[in-house]
Amino acid sequence: MDEENIIQRIPSRDSIGKQAADVPEIDYAAEKKLVRKLDIRIIPLFMLLYLFSFLDRVNIGNARLYGLEEDLGLEENQYQIAVSILFVTYLLSEVPSNLVLKKFTPSRWISFIATSWGIIATLTGITQNFAGLIVCRLLLGLVEGGLFPGATVYLTLFYTKRELALRVGYLFISAAIAGAVGGLLAYGIGFMDGVAGQSGWRWILIIEGLPSVVVGIATWFLLADSPDTAFYLSSEEKQLIQIRRARQLGQTASAQEFHKADVYAAFRDWKVYAFCIGQFGTDTMLYGYSTFLPTIIKGLGTWTTAETQALTIPCYTLGALSYVVMARLSDIQQRRGLYTVIFGAISVIGYGILISNASTGVHYLGCFLVAMGLYVTTGLPLAWLANNQPRYGKRTTATGLQLTIGNSSGIMAPFLYPDSEGPRFIKGHAVTLAMVGMANVIFAFMSWYLSRQNDRRKRGEEDAKFANKAEDEIAELGDKSPRFVYTT
């Protein structure tokens, strides 16, 4: 590739108001080829990692259908405690994991946590009592917690803000595949009940845990630590990534380094906490639905275990397809809030139908409507907040906080669906409806507020605050720069 064909000088597309210097233009054909290569090298690996991570986290729901509670002698709400306890250590590990990601390097750190959770998930299948199950769930959460926030930050090193939502969306597609395939796998593995004297639920946990070990070890060798060290990129492609980064306002070389001041800035930014609270609302739906969908559907009729598992698959498929379409559209238009709110409203309607006194078919329709908004309203805000943090330190901290506070809903969600509330689970559906509605209000406000800030900056109303700063100082301000354009 001819370097002179890549670099020319044109004004930046991302700047508003005055711009001190031109930024390089790029060869768009070369860029498309680069993005395709990144998609091939990065996305399948992370999809496999998150698929097995999600499967190992929620397959306890399928194991429940094959005698887990009876074999371990679980009583009252002990099953719900076992489901929710994972999120205690999961939450505590998310922000620290992101902060050490660069220090230990992504390939080694993610390889370590993936291999560890695979071993723990596999050994959960040989636990003999409630205490052993709790220990396994706590350890599983401790090592799994770093994957999603680490993956989100890692993707920002390679992709632009116009490409991020779809790539984060592939992780949610993995979650949908895990939900759909998990049921089929559990049904198939369930026939091993009695093999080597072990119950079917034990084989489900053992067999579904082993692939994580294999993929975790492979990650050490397959995952590049940064664009500069990516063995599969040529020198021209590495430079092209630098040019792509330079075209995004605030993405200076210094901004991509880890600075403690950026960490503190994330903790002081009220917008980060608004996104965190909204994420808590949508994640309540994610974990309640993903863990208890088989139980919810089983309560709709007199289904066999196999029929119940089969009926979950179309719901997850619709959820995945909805996210792919909306993530792509959101990336093109750079509008996150609009689609988050629309599909959040669809999920609210779905829960309203589940609460209503309707027929089995209508209730099953409600499951589909919830699924339509499930991954859109959970996934788009993750890309949205990351898009609006051009500085690495603030971005990695903000993303970690968003996921930590959001995933804390996983502690609460299992208790929304106790056996005593079945088969309708009206309280669980009502609380989840309210939480998604709250998130919708927050995200609608943030979309309005960020649009208003963009308008103020475009009119130059923020310029006076930075009149005494040089252009290179303004470039280091990140999202506080009067030239930075928020994704809305």
Side-chain angles (χ1 to χ4, degrees):
M1 186 184 302
D2 188 352
E3 204 169 293
E4 292 182 358
N5 289 335
I6 298 177
I7 307 177
Q8 298 174 22
R9 308 294 289 182
I10 64 165
S12 169
R13 294 180 178 179
D14 289 327
S15 67
I16 58 177
K18 299 176 182 178
Q19 183 72 17
D22 293 334
V23 297
E25 187 181 4
I26 50 183
D27 180 339
Y28 290 105
E31 184 181 33
K32 287 185 71 172
K33 183 179 178 181
L34 170 66
V35 172
R36 282 197 300 269
K37 177 180 280 192
L38 294 176
D39 286 343
I40 291 171
R41 291 287 188 167
I42 297 174
I43 299 303
L45 180 59
F46 273 112
M47 285 187 70
L48 281 175
L49 285 166
Y50 195 65
L51 187 153
F52 292 127
S53 165
F54 200 83
L55 189 64
D56 291 340
R57 197 183 325 152
V58 303
N59 61 7
I60 190 173
N62 289 318
R64 185 188 196 187
L65 301 177
Y66 291 87
L68 178 145
E69 290 177 289
E70 293 80 4
D71 282 5
L72 297 186
L74 304 188
E75 300 174 352
E76 297 179 348
N77 64 347
Q78 287 185 329
Y79 171 78
Q80 281 76 16
I81 292 172
V83 173
S84 66
I85 200 72
L86 172 144
F87 291 96
V88 174
T89 47
Y90 191 99
L91 303 174
L92 294 175
S93 67
E94 286 182 306
V95 173
S97 178
N98 257 15
L99 295 180
V100 302
L101 184 65
K102 272 197 171 182
K103 179 178 178 61
F104 292 121
T105 71
S107 62
R108 295 183 179 184
W109 181 246
I110 294 176
S111 173
F112 166 72
I113 62 176
T115 305
S116 299
W117 89 57
I119 293 171
I120 294 165
T122 301
L123 295 179
T124 304
I126 63 173
T127 190
Q128 299 298 317
N129 50 44
F130 175 63
L133 181 62
I134 291 297
V135 170
C136 288
R137 297 288 289 178
L138 284 169
L139 292 175
L140 188 63
L142 183 66
V143 290
E144 275 199 355
L147 177 63
F148 197 96
T152 303
V153 170
Y154 183 87
L155 292 175
T156 65
L157 300 178
F158 291 83
Y159 293 99
T160 69
K161 62 193 298 184
R162 293 185 177 276
E163 300 159 351
L164 187 61
L166 183 60
R167 276 71 192 181
V168 172
Y170 289 135
L171 302 182
F172 283 98
I173 293 170
S174 296
I177 294 172
V181 175
L184 288 176
L185 282 174
Y187 175 66
I189 298 171
F191 286 108
M192 294 181 66
D193 185 47
V195 173
Q198 302 299 321
S199 299
W201 71 267
R202 294 187 183 277
W203 287 116
I204 289 172
L205 298 181
I206 291 169
I207 292 175
E208 292 183 359
L210 289 173
S212 295
V213 179
V214 176
V215 177
I217 294 171
T219 299
W220 185 290
F221 304 99
L222 298 178
L223 191 67
D225 292 322
S226 70
D228 292 338
T229 60
F231 60 90
Y232 50 82
L233 295 178
S234 66
S235 58
E236 290 86 359
E237 288 169 330
K238 292 176 181 179
Q239 182 164 10
L240 184 52
I241 287 182
Q242 294 176 354
I243 294 170
R244 279 157 50 87
R245 182 182 298 158
R247 289 171 60 82
Q248 299 182 91
L249 199 91
Q251 297 270 359
T252 64
S254 174
Q256 301 317 303
E257 299 298 323
F258 183 85
H259 302 285
K260 288 185 179 179
D262 292 329
V263 175
Y264 300 143
F267 281 109
R268 293 194 300 265
D269 190 341
W270 69 269
K271 299 189 294 298
V272 172
Y273 293 102
F275 275 93
C276 290
I277 296 170
Q279 198 70 41
F280 181 91
T282 60
D283 280 3
T284 300
M285 172 173 62
L286 176 68
Y287 289 114
Y289 189 88
S290 299
T291 305
F292 290 95
L293 182 60
T295 303
I296 293 168
I297 290 179
K298 189 173 184 179
L300 297 181
T302 54
W303 318 114
T304 65
T305 298
E307 290 170 337
T308 299
Q309 301 289 13
L311 287 170
T312 65
I313 296 172
C315 298
Y316 286 120
T317 301
L318 178 62
L321 291 175
S322 298
Y323 188 87
V324 170
V325 173
M326 300 320 300
R328 178 62 177 157
L329 190 60
S330 174
D331 272 342
I332 292 171
Q333 297 181 350
Q334 284 297 282
R335 300 193 70 176
R336 312 293 193 208
L338 175 65
Y339 300 116
T340 299
V341 171
I342 288 174
F343 278 79
I346 292 174
S347 289
V348 166
I349 294 171
Y351 278 111
I353 291 174
L354 287 171
I355 293 170
S356 69
N357 187 20
S359 66
T360 296
V362 174
H363 282 154
Y364 189 46
L365 171 64
C367 292
F368 276 94
L369 293 179
V370 173
M372 278 188 71
L374 180 67
Y375 301 115
V376 177
T377 57
T378 305
L380 286 186
L382 292 170
W384 190 2
L385 181 59
N387 282 161
N388 289 328
Q389 311 300 329
R391 297 188 64 83
Y392 175 83
K394 188 176 182 183
R395 181 169 67 246
T396 192
T397 307
T399 300
L401 276 174
Q402 184 183 18
L403 286 162
T404 297
I405 295 175
N407 285 329
S408 66
S409 64
I411 299 174
M412 172 186 72
F415 294 98
L416 297 178
Y417 294 92
D419 290 340
S420 59
E421 297 284 338
R424 293 287 306 283
F425 300 106
I426 291 177
K427 182 180 74 174
H429 295 327
V431 172
T432 307
L433 183 155
M435 297 302 292
V436 177
M438 174 199 71
N440 254 20
V441 171
I442 292 173
F443 291 134
F445 171 77
M446 292 308 300
S447 183
W448 170 81
Y449 175 80
L450 295 174
S451 296
R452 179 172 172 269
Q453 289 299 103
N454 285 344
D455 290 340
R456 286 174 53 84
R457 291 176 177 185
K458 190 173 183 179
R459 292 192 298 265
E461 295 178 21
E462 302 280 321
D463 290 353
K465 299 178 183 179
F466 307 97
N468 297 325
K469 290 187 177 292
E471 287 298 332
D472 57 344
E473 293 178 296
I474 293 176
E476 297 293 342
L477 292 175
D479 63 303
K480 291 185 177 299
S481 167
R483 305 207 178 105
F484 183 79
V485 182
Y486 286 111
T487 298
T488 62

